[in-house]
Amino acid sequence: MKTYKIHLIRHGLEKPEGVIRYVGKTDLPLTARGKEQIKALDNQGIYPYAQRLYSSPLKRCVETLEIIYPEKKITTVPGLCECDFGKFENKTAEELKDDPAFSDWLSGGCPPGGESTDDFVKRSVVAFAKTVEDIMKEGVTDCAFCLHGGNIMAILSVCGLPELPFNEWVCAPGRGYTLRITPSIWMRGYKAEVLGEI
């Protein structure tokens, strides 16, 4: 039976290392260090072959794929943007520590004017599943996606085998996971085998 390999790659650094800032929909490019990091990983040969490329529309993801797979067309998928942090967008925990709404959000609430974790996970999985269905219809067996860390955690917490919670799927910038999708399993509940780390 035909299977499909999907490589989920997290974008490179878009802010200085050590800075903990809630960057979601803010369209930051890669930093110079982020570009160097992706080039160094690419030179190590860690990135797999891909017939087709998909990306969040945000610059940091598109730029990452342009470094790894130069001259290949990139299809952007709007539903795979990072979480919308609303009022907390592009702020640090230090800047927000005295805001009661921030404390509520950390306890599982929704950021004011932003997206709840549940809504973000649902949006990410729906956009990914729709793209996978298109890939299978076209018979493309090897694809790479460049996404945000949150999207990767969301997708794998719902679709990944083994089944692990959201926070267990964290990966470093420029790294990620390779999935194998078997259509008969995928069609029964959007499940994909996680073959290993990139």
Side-chain angles (χ1 to χ4, degrees):
M1 176 179 281
K2 190 174 196 174
T3 61
Y4 301 83
K5 279 190 182 172
I6 307 286
H7 312 289
L8 304 180
I9 301 166
R10 184 178 173 190
H11 62 76
L13 294 168
E14 83 286 5
K15 53 189 183 271
E17 291 180 82
V19 174
I20 300 171
R21 188 174 293 279
Y22 297 102
V23 177
K25 66 178 184 175
T26 304
D27 198 7
L28 297 178
L30 293 177
T31 62
R33 173 75 185 111
K35 290 177 183 177
E36 289 168 12
Q37 175 195 48
I38 297 299
K39 286 175 188 171
L41 290 170
D42 189 35
N43 288 339
Q44 292 172 29
I46 73 160
Y47 295 114
Y49 166 75
Q51 295 167 279
R52 194 162 297 168
L53 307 178
Y54 296 90
S55 177
S56 156
L58 299 183
K59 289 175 191 167
R60 53 197 184 264
C61 291
V62 173
E63 289 177 355
T64 298
L65 284 180
E66 288 173 343
I67 292 168
I68 301 168
Y69 303 99
E71 300 178 20
K72 279 208 167 193
K73 180 185 172 194
I74 299 166
T75 300
T76 58
V77 182
L80 294 175
C81 274
E82 179 59 288
C83 187
D84 181 351
F85 295 119
K87 177 181 171 184
F88 305 145
E89 182 69 31
N90 213 15
K91 298 212 166 120
T92 65
E94 181 64 26
E95 291 169 327
L96 296 168
K97 68 181 181 183
D98 297 324
D99 186 334
F102 180 61
S103 190
D104 290 344
W105 178 49
L106 294 179
S107 300
C110 181
E115 232 175 342
S116 72
T117 299
D118 287 348
D119 287 344
F120 169 66
V121 169
K122 182 177 179 182
R123 171 173 61 79
S124 297
V125 171
V126 166
F128 179 69
K130 169 71 172 79
T131 308
V132 167
E133 286 167 18
D134 291 344
I135 288 165
M136 290 193 297
K137 281 178 192 168
E138 294 176 29
V140 181
T141 56
D142 290 89
C143 296
F145 284 67
C146 189
L147 304 174
H148 308 276
N151 298 113
I152 293 172
M153 291 189 291
I155 291 163
L156 294 183
S157 69
V158 173
C159 303
L161 294 172
E163 294 181 342
L164 296 171
F166 187 87
N167 290 334
E168 293 290 319
W169 294 110
V170 173
C171 61
R175 299 293 183 152
Y177 299 93
T178 293
L179 314 181
R180 178 170 54 210
I181 294 179
T182 303
S184 60
I185 297 170
W186 179 257
M187 295 303 180
R188 286 184 302 209
Y190 296 142
K191 293 296 180 185
E193 181 184 1
V194 181
L195 296 180
E197 295 183 24
I198 296 171

